[in-house]
Amino acid sequence: MLTIASSDSASTWSNTSSSSTESLTANTSIGASLSSVLGEVAPSTTITSSVIVPSTETPAASAVPTVCATADKVGNATYTFSNTAVGPLFNPIEDIWFSEGFCVVPPTDGGSPPYLPCSGSKLLEFVPPSLQSSDPWAASTAEIGVGPNFAKPCFRFDLYEAYLGCDTQGTTEWCEFEVAAYTHDESSPYEQSMEWAETKRIPACNTFIQGGCPLVPVQFEGFTNMTSVLITLHVGLEPRVWWADHISVGWTDNGCDAAQCRDETQTKRVKRQRVESALEHGVWHWTRGGLERLADDYILRAAK
């Protein structure tokens, strides 16, 4: 049963591997550290806009369609991060992958983020790679999806809800999240836009610098039968850091054939090169004094 309490092309998920990690040829400190933690595999778009007003009411759970009674990977799930190690999300949570820039916070030595987790003591943070690098081609878009399983129809999923917040320093009044659905086209080796997107506007937190901000629940309609969802945040014209918790998803097809397909698919893990790159260039997280680099220990633990 898929329950948890804690991208546009085939290359988007190239940080994954379905085989045992190969040995490093160079005798480096990075290689020595990795050897101890990396083991074997275990055209136009329809856009709608809505303004989200915080509510104290809890929305009713989405109805679950007919579910195969003999399979494990069926039904809906709400992803929280209380039981997830602090650091980058190299590997999937169950079968859902998170692109570069996502990190579970806060680190023990880095202070508290401005937003409160919905439950527990940790939440998800996205620092756009464009804020971490001088590379003009660095991405500002986050991707959540089924990663290397995008070509398998049994891995299509739906997005229902997420609790969101963003960096609203200054005179900012709104956070605008552009959310677009993608799916795999069997006639192409790539994922394609489903021509369905929404712009979600949520109010800024007036006590952002002081902290203690609540995340805002955002519901999604029409985000179904997807292989990935792309999220781009703009505050004014700028990319900013944003936070999330309690991300609710579900499998599109819960029939026994699809569920068996998921159950029989080997879980893939991060490629060694992706971890090497993180150790070389760093993984960054938000602090009130600016972005700071996480200690390498967090990267190594996340790679296990």
Side-chain angles (χ1 to χ4, degrees), residues 105-116:
V105 295
T108 55
D109 56 352
S112 299
Y115 287 89
L116 299 173

Side-chain angles (χ1 to χ4, degrees), residues 17 24 44 63 129 145 151 154 196 200-201 230 234 244 286:
S17 174
L24 288 174
S44 60
C154 63
W196 179 256
K200 298 291 189 179
R201 300 181 74 203
L230 274 60
H234 289 289
W286 183 92

Side-chain angles (χ1 to χ4, degrees), residues 113-199:
Y115 287 89
L116 299 173
C118 296
S119 61
S121 59
K122 291 179 281 188
L123 72 166
L124 190 64
E125 177 178 282
F126 181 74
V127 179
S130 60
L131 297 181
Q132 308 174 40
S133 171
S134 59
D135 182 356
W137 302 106
S140 297
T141 298
E143 183 169 3
I144 300 173
V146 296
N149 294 316
F150 72 92
K152 295 186 176 183
C154 63
F155 278 90
R156 304 282 176 90
F157 74 100
D158 307 335
L159 174 65
Y160 302 123
E161 183 180 51
Y163 283 66
L164 302 173
C166 80
D167 179 346
T168 55
Q169 298 183 63
T171 59
T172 302
E173 295 183 0
W174 299 97
C175 305
E176 293 189 346
F177 290 88
E178 297 174 5
V179 187
Y182 276 65
T183 196
H184 177 247
D185 184 343
E186 294 184 4
S187 64
S188 168
Y190 308 111
E191 293 180 87
Q192 305 289 335
S193 170
M194 294 179 66
E195 302 183 18
W196 179 256
E198 287 187 322
T199 298

Side-chain angles (χ1 to χ4, degrees), residues 249-271:
V249 299
W251 297 118
T252 302
D253 186 347
N254 285 285
C256 286
D257 287 345
Q260 183 178 1
C261 168
R262 292 189 291 268
D263 287 346
E264 293 178 349
T265 299
Q266 185 182 40
T267 299
K268 299 175 177 64
R269 297 186 63 81
V270 66
K271 282 186 176 180

